Amino acid sequence: MAPLLEVRDLKKYFPTKKGMLHAVDGVSFSLEQGKTLGVVGESGCGKSTLGRVVLHLLENTDGMIRYKGRDITRVSKKELIALRKEMQIIFQDPYASLDPRMTIAQIIAEPMQIDKEQEKSKIDERVYELMDTVGLARRLYNSYPHELDGGRRQRIGIARALALNPQFIVCDEPVSALDVSIQAQILNLMLDLQEQLGLTYIFITHDLSVVRYISDSILVMYLGQVVEHCPSKELFDFPMHPYTKALLSAVPVADVHHKKERILLKGELTSPINPKPGCRFAARCIYAKDICHQEEPKLQEVRDSHQVACHFVREINQNI
Ligand code: SF4
């Protein structure tokens, strides 16, 4: 089956006073319909920028984004508007992403009000339907966001994203501002919606426990580049890149008898502005050798569906 989304060598650079900031630098992946790709990495690694560039909310510097077989970086403005209905985003912070002057009904209805093809007389009915879908009580129709808790606010964000019947949603840290108990409710809602509506997600987060729960495959980013990409279970069972190993070592384990050694990353973070040649992780990597400072490691398949960008992946992981 052809992938719903195919991204090849995607780049997004921002000019700064000190030079060019390489926020996304040569990212490639494909994503099948109905699946979830988790994108993880420290803050500033370019994951949120990647999400926005994939939706073409930010123009790419280079590379290709193919959605349903069409390169969306080359379509006309009119075609892009039509495509945008299918491609939506759920934002990180439900507190900040909702207009406090609008009622819940107005917020959910807004995309339909703007869309010229919507039958305006049916919008109210559709708002109620969407509130039911995301588990918001109908009595909250005329409430304002400040009257609700974080979980309900994020349900509004989800209802709004669903308003135009999208097929693909970028979820940018959608649960990180929420309490843990509420996080689980929102994640379960998103999984239910995926099953009911056949949605495809890119799920961006810095929280590895969350990404494990929701993703089919995971892409680990470091300073604008992909360092590891594989199915979700494989990443947690056989992490191979030194950066992924360090990230996973910081995830708490529920079993008190299980002792896990935390890998602390030392060394300076390489600047993403005009980055030097070589591996961007080299300054913090305990395995770095001369070549790591000279040549950029390419993302290569080291096991079935498991790609890693490291010159010494086989030496570091002798069990491959
Ligand atoms: Fe470490 Fe070198 Fe591998 Fe980069 S390429 S992760 S510096 S061993």
Side-chain angles (χ1 to χ4, degrees), residues 241-242 279 281-282 285 287-289 292 297 309-312 316:
H241 193 281
C279 173
F281 188 59
C285 180
Y287 304 100
K289 295 190 181 145
C292 304
C310 173
H311 291 305
F312 298 106
I316 296 167

Side-chain angles (χ1 to χ4, degrees), residues 22 138 226 244:
H22 292 218
R138 290 185 172 210
V226 177
T244 313

Side-chain angles (χ1 to χ4, degrees), residues 257-272:
H257 302 294
H258 181 92
K259 276 211 166 147
K260 200 159 129 187
E261 202 180 323
R262 174 109 192 242
I263 305 169
L264 289 173
L265 290 176
K266 294 182 185 144
E268 248 178 66
L269 198 69
T270 304
S271 171

Side-chain angles (χ1 to χ4, degrees), residues 135-198:
L136 276 171
R138 290 185 172 210
R139 65 183 155 76
L140 301 173
Y141 187 88
N142 284 317
S143 304
Y144 287 87
H146 73 268
E147 297 174 62
L148 308 182
D149 58 37
R152 287 200 182 92
R153 286 181 197 169
Q154 195 51 294
R155 286 176 196 267
I156 304 172
I158 296 172
R160 186 188 156 95
L162 294 177
L164 299 178
N165 295 314
Q167 295 190 20
F168 167 59
I169 303 181
V170 170
C171 314
D172 187 1
E173 302 261 16
V175 296
S176 28
L178 306 175
D179 292 343
V180 175
S181 58
I182 311 283
Q183 282 188 2
Q185 291 172 17
I186 297 294
L187 289 173
N188 286 333
L189 169 66
M190 293 180 70
L191 286 170
D192 288 348
L193 291 172
Q194 181 169 48
E195 206 179 303
Q196 284 166 30
L197 308 171

Side-chain angles (χ1 to χ4, degrees), residues 36-41 47 171 173-176 183 187 191 194 201-221 230-233 235-236 244 247-248 251:
T36 300
L37 172 72
V39 181
V40 292
K47 52 190 191 307
C171 314
E173 302 261 16
V175 296
S176 28
Q183 282 188 2
L187 289 173
L191 286 170
Q194 181 169 48
Y201 295 137
I202 286 186
F203 196 97
I204 296 165
T205 181
H206 63 276
D207 186 335
L208 281 149
S209 324
V210 165
V211 85
R212 177 182 205 167
Y213 186 65
I214 199 152
S215 308
D216 295 290
S217 59
I218 298 176
L219 197 136
V220 182
M221 282 186 77
C230 62
S232 178
K233 187 173 183 320
L235 190 89
F236 284 86
T244 313
L247 276 185
L248 289 183
V251 178

Side-chain angles (χ1 to χ4, degrees), residues 227 240-243 278-293 295-298 308-313 316:
V227 295
M240 291 193 198
H241 193 281
Y243 176 61
C279 173
R280 292 194 188 163
F281 188 59
R284 299 168 89 187
C285 180
I286 53 169
Y287 304 100
K289 295 190 181 145
D290 286 351
I291 189 175
C292 304
H293 297 279
E295 241 177 68
E296 191 175 289
K298 297 273 169 279
V308 184
C310 173
H311 291 305
F312 298 106
V313 62
I316 296 167

